[in-house]
Amino acid sequence: MRANNEVASQICAPRIEAQAPTDFEWVSRPFAKIFQQAEAPEGAATVVRYRGDSIRFLSPAKEWVRVTYECGFDAANRSVAYVRVRLGRLDQADAPAQPPQQVRANAPSPQPMAPQAQQQAGRVGAPVPRRLLPSEPSEVEIRQVNPRIRQAQP
């Protein structure tokens, strides 16, 4: 498992990155390994299950969220058998995992709302306004006008 960790990291990383709806950011790369856990294959199987949580995805709501990933690395063929991602940290087991994915384009995927957000929105599917931090600008539309151009007077 340790011998394949570096190879698995190089092969799995692009597949994990491809799961991001818009953008991604590795928390520990390029200096640290991307997997914190490994599970040896059972019996005659050759697929090692590597897991980690060293990446953040930019959600469609433009918020960075920590993501846990699992990569099934076939040590015999030196290929990726599957990649699964879910919201949350590695030590959190309450977020549902996504089914194994084949190679896909960087297409945005719908993100489910948390039950608390659904209640605050008043109805399921309604957008929840994001709370701004004191240091962030408000969402006010600013229209710039060129002072040298005179507008027609009525």
Side-chain angles (χ1 to χ4, degrees):
M1 287 189 310
R2 289 183 188 176
N4 293 321
N5 192 352
E6 189 65 35
V7 175
S9 294
Q10 292 174 358
I11 296 174
C12 290
R15 296 276 304 269
I16 295 165
E17 294 165 357
Q19 301 295 315
T22 55
D23 199 5
F24 64 89
E25 178 181 55
W26 288 100
V27 177
S28 60
R29 274 188 97 178
F31 305 109
K33 297 189 183 328
I34 65 171
F35 299 116
Q36 288 81 37
Q37 297 178 357
E39 189 175 311
E42 296 178 8
T46 59
V47 177
V48 180
R49 295 172 60 183
Y50 289 101
R51 288 185 289 276
D53 64 355
S54 299
I55 195 169
R56 296 186 303 177
F57 285 176
L58 185 62
S59 74
K62 306 293 184 224
E63 295 175 340
W64 289 103
V65 292
R66 196 69 173 259
V67 176
T68 296
Y69 45 87
E70 180 177 314
C71 181
F73 178 72
D74 189 337
N77 297 329
R78 294 205 163 313
S79 63
V80 175
Y82 64 87
V83 169
R84 295 183 185 120
V85 298
R86 68 171 173 85
L87 297 178
R89 300 288 302 250
L90 193 58
D91 54 359
Q92 296 171 338
D94 54 354
Q98 292 183 357
Q101 299 285 327
Q102 297 299 325
V103 176
R104 67 166 221 213
N106 284 342
S109 61
Q111 298 293 322
M113 293 175 89
Q116 299 88 358
Q118 290 176 354
Q119 290 172 356
Q120 289 175 355
R123 63 184 173 86
V124 175
V128 176
R130 187 173 80 83
R131 235 181 144 163
L132 297 175
L133 297 175
S135 61
E136 294 179 316
S138 64
E139 297 179 12
V140 175
E141 182 178 336
I142 298 175
R143 182 175 164 208
Q144 292 183 346
V145 179
N146 187 345
R148 294 182 185 166
I149 298 176
R150 293 189 179 178
Q151 295 181 349
Q153 298 291 329

